[in-house]
Amino acid sequence: MALRHSLIMGALLSGLLCSCIGVGANITLRQDGSGTILLEYRIARELESLGKLDGNEQWLPVPVGRADLERTVARIPGLTMQSFQSRNQKKDIHIRTLLAFADPQALCAFLDAAGQGAALIQTPGQRRLSLTLGAKQEPLDQDLAGLLTQALEGYTWDLTLSLPAEGEFLVLGPEGQKPVSQWVRLGSGRAAYSAPMGALLNAVEPIRLEARWTP
């Protein structure tokens, strides 16, 4: 179970997975610190060979399923599951779930479950949500990097963030490093970040996303 949980949370934050998967998260923050997380996963059918949760055919195959998510939610105070849906497509299994968090601590506890960076810093004049994708690593072998990019073609890591006020959205990294992707503004206090899964896996330095706003 620890391995399955690590796989799904790692996919959310760092893209450190070993098979084809597309991940999307739509996070809405309210003024009082509560909000919702709409998660969508596109998992390659080949992952079915990894087995079923608890040996029960009613559960979805690893690395993600309702049972895993319910156990995760149960461990985090202030986090609840509002809905869960799954459907089979031609090549993938598509999963969609809506979670609600009562406060920023519950949000960060869920996002940081894999030990990656997730923090909400609060000061009298500013709120700052920070997410770190990946970790510092040695460059992959050129052939391996190419195969990885090819295998993950069409799969992306997507985040949409809606703040309770007008905000600033940043992609931070080592000086001189070209960002894998940039935020796209969608309106007042709302922006989206999307990057190819292969590019995230091939990144040598971690990528930090930040959103800043005045309460």
Side-chain angles (χ1 to χ4, degrees):
M1 182 57 63
L3 174 59
R4 287 193 287 263
H5 180 262
S6 175
L7 281 169
I8 178 56
M9 294 313 302
L12 278 171
L13 293 174
S14 65
L16 297 179
L17 54 150
C18 60
S19 194
C20 299
I21 181 171
V23 181
N26 190 328
I27 300 173
T28 299
L29 272 163
R30 304 189 187 100
Q31 194 66 47
D32 64 358
S34 67
T36 58
I37 312 167
L38 177 62
L39 302 176
E40 295 192 65
Y41 307 90
R42 190 159 59 91
I43 307 170
R45 281 179 171 272
E46 286 82 357
L47 291 178
E48 287 184 299
S49 63
L50 293 181
K52 302 287 184 178
L53 291 174
D54 300 325
N56 192 332
E57 292 297 317
Q58 76 181 36
W59 300 122
L60 291 171
V62 294
V64 61
R66 181 166 188 157
D68 279 327
L69 288 170
E70 285 178 339
R71 290 184 180 96
T72 298
V73 167
R75 287 194 293 266
I76 300 176
L79 188 68
T80 57
M81 181 184 291
Q82 304 294 300
S83 65
F84 183 94
Q85 299 175 335
S86 67
R87 68 177 186 272
N88 292 330
Q89 297 179 321
K90 186 175 182 180
K91 294 182 179 180
D92 308 308
I93 298 172
H94 184 265
I95 297 169
R96 178 185 175 97
T97 183
L98 179 65
L99 307 176
F101 54 92
D103 50 49
Q105 289 75 24
L107 169 64
C108 290
F110 178 73
L111 295 177
D112 199 31
Q116 305 297 319
L120 182 67
I121 297 92
Q122 305 185 58
T123 62
Q126 189 183 73
R127 298 290 185 269
R128 181 157 50 96
L129 178 65
S130 176
L131 300 174
T132 300
L133 312 180
K136 186 177 177 63
Q137 64 178 359
E138 294 297 323
L140 295 178
D141 175 86
Q142 186 174 355
D143 291 337
L144 176 59
L147 287 173
L148 188 61
T149 299
Q150 183 178 358
L152 292 171
E153 184 177 359
Y155 292 88
T156 58
W157 191 97
D158 303 307
L159 171 67
T160 301
L161 184 60
S162 299
L163 303 176
E166 178 63 34
E168 181 182 14
F169 299 87
L170 306 170
V171 180
L172 306 175
E175 185 176 353
Q177 176 181 308
K178 183 179 179 181
V180 170
S181 186
Q182 293 282 9
W183 288 98
V184 176
R185 296 298 293 261
L186 302 176
S188 178
R190 190 165 180 261
Y193 179 88
S194 179
M197 195 69 80
L200 290 179
L201 280 167
N202 284 324
V204 176
E205 298 285 347
I207 300 166
R208 184 156 58 94
L209 307 181
E210 263 197 17
R212 302 171 182 175
W213 70 98
T214 302

